[in-house]
Amino acid sequence: MTTTKIHKVARVSLGVVMLIACLQCTKRNEEDLKSICFESEILPIIQANCATIGCHNSTTAADGYDLSTYEGIMRAVKPGNGRDSKIVKVMLEDKEEKRMPPPPAAPMSSQFIELVIQWIDKGAGHVVGCSLEVGCDTSSVSFSADITPVLNDFCVSCHNASAPSGGVVLSTYNGVKSVADDGRLVGSVFHLPGFSPMPPSGTRLDECKLNKIKAWVNAGAPAN
Ligand code: HEC
């Protein structure tokens, strides 16, 4: 083989190796980006707690932030850097007057903030069409395993002991039990006529969460 031929072979094989490496890295990135479902795990919780009337919805957009859409949320996100993203910084803020959601609302749960950080660290992908409705089991709904996590994500910021909006406390079993028994829990989350629609951002909880709440209330709202 002449030296030119050797060079040519070397160049071609280097190209092939780089191509394979690159394909693998795109594939890995895509899987990583998809591991947290923006549409079902991030967006609805931000909408319920932040995209409310007078706050960060499309009409008010307080401070220029409309947090009711992916594009709006991305204005407060630095892809790849969760802890340095504005949306995370304001949720973690120590000074109450700067924290979001602002007092009297309670801070977002540390689990949710951690999920947002992971989602941003992984590239803040706009992952949709992955709703968790497949396999929604409403046969044995438990207060602690099924109901509490939903209330914590979507309701407790406005309905805790120090901020009982409308006199409703959803951070304790007794508080939840009383609105379960008088019909207001189901009335408000299903947006039935005669009840204030909850969460007030206007977007209903997904069908699986709604059906679990209904099944739990129909079973007598047990402390299970
Ligand atoms: C952004 C704040 C906020 C969030 C989040 C929120 N609420 Fe409310 N809620 C309020 C306010 C304010 C009122 C009282 C005024 C009203 O009735 O609209 C209220 C009232 C209620 C009432 C009484 C309704 C009635 O018709 O008497 C219930 C029940 C309720 N909320 C349940 C929930 C549930 C369940 C969630 C979560 C799925 C939730 N709320 C999320 C602010 C909030």
Side-chain angles (χ1 to χ4, degrees):
M1 248 196 270
T2 63
T3 22
T4 20
K5 264 193 182 157
I6 293 173
H7 275 148
K8 211 169 172 187
V9 168
R11 263 210 311 275
V12 170
S13 12
L14 184 67
V16 169
V17 168
M18 275 167 64
L19 185 69
I20 291 172
C22 195
L23 283 178
Q24 273 180 345
C25 85
T26 354
K27 200 166 161 234
R28 232 191 345 263
N29 277 345
E30 268 175 25
E31 277 165 15
D32 234 19
L33 277 169
K34 282 186 183 147
S35 64
I36 297 176
C37 184
F38 174 77
E39 186 185 38
S40 63
E41 296 177 73
I42 307 278
L43 180 64
I45 298 172
I46 291 184
Q47 281 178 336
N49 291 281
C50 321
T52 44
I53 302 148
C55 302
H56 301 288
N57 70 351
S58 50
T59 32
T60 335
D63 289 334
Y65 288 102
D66 167 10
L67 300 180
S68 62
T69 64
Y70 175 75
E71 290 71 26
I73 290 170
M74 289 309 283
R75 294 198 50 229
V77 163
K78 279 190 189 165
N81 200 342
R83 284 183 185 277
D84 201 30
S85 292
K86 178 127 192 188
I87 197 158
V88 169
K89 283 188 180 167
V90 295
M91 290 195 287
L92 286 172
E93 177 62 56
D94 290 334
K95 294 196 195 83
E96 279 224 323
E97 66 274 17
K98 289 191 179 167
R99 195 197 64 219
M100 290 287 145
M108 299 302 292
S109 71
S110 49
Q111 292 96 305
F112 179 68
I113 299 176
E114 196 47 49
L115 184 72
V116 174
I117 292 173
Q118 279 178 31
W119 168 68
I120 299 174
D121 284 348
K122 288 172 190 292
H126 191 186
V127 183
V128 298
C130 40
S131 105
L132 307 168
E133 277 175 39
V134 219
C136 182
D137 182 6
T138 55
S139 61
S140 57
V141 178
S142 132
F143 178 70
S144 54
D146 301 297
I147 306 298
T148 310
V150 175
L151 299 177
N152 284 345
D153 279 345
F154 291 90
C155 323
V156 161
S157 70
C158 301
H159 291 286
N160 56 80
S162 45
S165 300
V168 175
V169 174
L170 299 175
S171 51
T172 64
Y173 171 74
N174 287 341
V176 181
K177 171 79 173 157
S178 76
V179 286
D181 289 351
D182 68 17
R184 291 196 291 162
L185 179 60
V186 167
S188 64
V189 294
F190 276 85
H191 296 188
L192 300 181
F195 298 92
S196 304
M198 291 290 140
S201 56
T203 314
R204 291 202 325 176
L205 298 174
D206 66 56
E207 290 304 310
C208 183
K209 293 186 181 72
L210 289 175
N211 290 334
K212 282 188 172 175
I213 292 174
K214 199 200 262 172
W216 178 73
V217 172
N218 286 346
N224 53 356

